[in-house]
Amino acid sequence: MTTEQPEILLGTGFYFEDLALGARFRSRSRTVTETDLVNFINLSWLNEELFTNAHDRGDMAIPGRVVPGALVYAFAEGLVTPSMQGTGLAFLNAELDISRPTFVGDTLHVECEVIEHRLTSKPGKGLVRTRNRVVNQHGETLLTYTPLRMMRVRKETPA
């Protein structure tokens, strides 16, 4: 006689209950490459010389091969996506602040802290807001944003 165990699905993100107020987690890291910058510029049409001119930097506001904050934000979301795979229901709101430039060659990770946590009026759903800091290899915060997400509540298992 065999006892059937429920199948465990790998790669499932946090449920609402897993993210208590004050909980912290960190993403993996990702290095921004020249190819990333070029592909993002071509995809987004953010063709400002600050991002597209690699040689004539003398009159630029920021020296070095700077990347758009929109790319940094997109990388951050990509880095935290595994934490809500299959459990995130909706992205509802965010405030975003850029505190310093990001450059080609920077390696980024995201440090998250739960700052709001409450159930919705509809069963099976909760709201979680995190403070997400995008940090480079030197420990400098480059960008901070505070997404509010609707998350799935874990299904109750039968007794």
Side-chain angles (χ1 to χ4, degrees), residues 24-124:
R24 295 173 183 263
F25 57 97
R26 179 182 188 253
S27 74
R28 300 241 180 221
S29 297
R30 168 80 155 78
T31 301
V32 182
T33 67
E34 178 73 19
T35 303
D36 295 326
L37 173 60
V38 170
N39 286 337
F40 187 80
I41 296 298
N42 288 331
L43 178 66
S44 65
W45 289 24
L46 289 173
N47 56 6
E48 182 180 337
E49 273 199 85
L50 181 62
F51 310 125
T52 61
N53 187 335
H55 299 287
D56 187 15
R57 304 296 303 172
D59 292 335
M60 299 287 175
I62 303 169
R65 199 72 170 113
V66 67
V67 300
L71 174 58
V72 177
Y73 167 75
F75 269 30
E77 280 294 279
L79 287 166
V80 299
T81 295
S83 72
M84 64 195 99
Q85 186 67 37
T87 57
L89 298 172
F91 182 105
L92 302 173
N93 170 272
E95 290 185 15
L96 183 142
D97 292 302
I98 299 171
S99 48
R100 62 186 325 126
T102 301
F103 298 95
V104 167
D106 279 349
T107 299
L108 313 177
H109 72 270
V110 185
E111 297 175 0
C112 305
E113 178 184 3
V114 177
I115 60 172
E116 183 179 338
H117 184 265
R118 57 190 163 92
L119 288 168
T120 68
S121 59
K122 296 188 178 187

Side-chain angles (χ1 to χ4, degrees), residues 16 89 119-126 150-154:
F16 172 78
L89 298 172
L119 288 168
T120 68
S121 59
K122 296 188 178 187
K125 299 174 183 173
M150 186 176 294
M151 303 294 294
R152 194 178 305 276
V153 171
R154 184 174 274 113

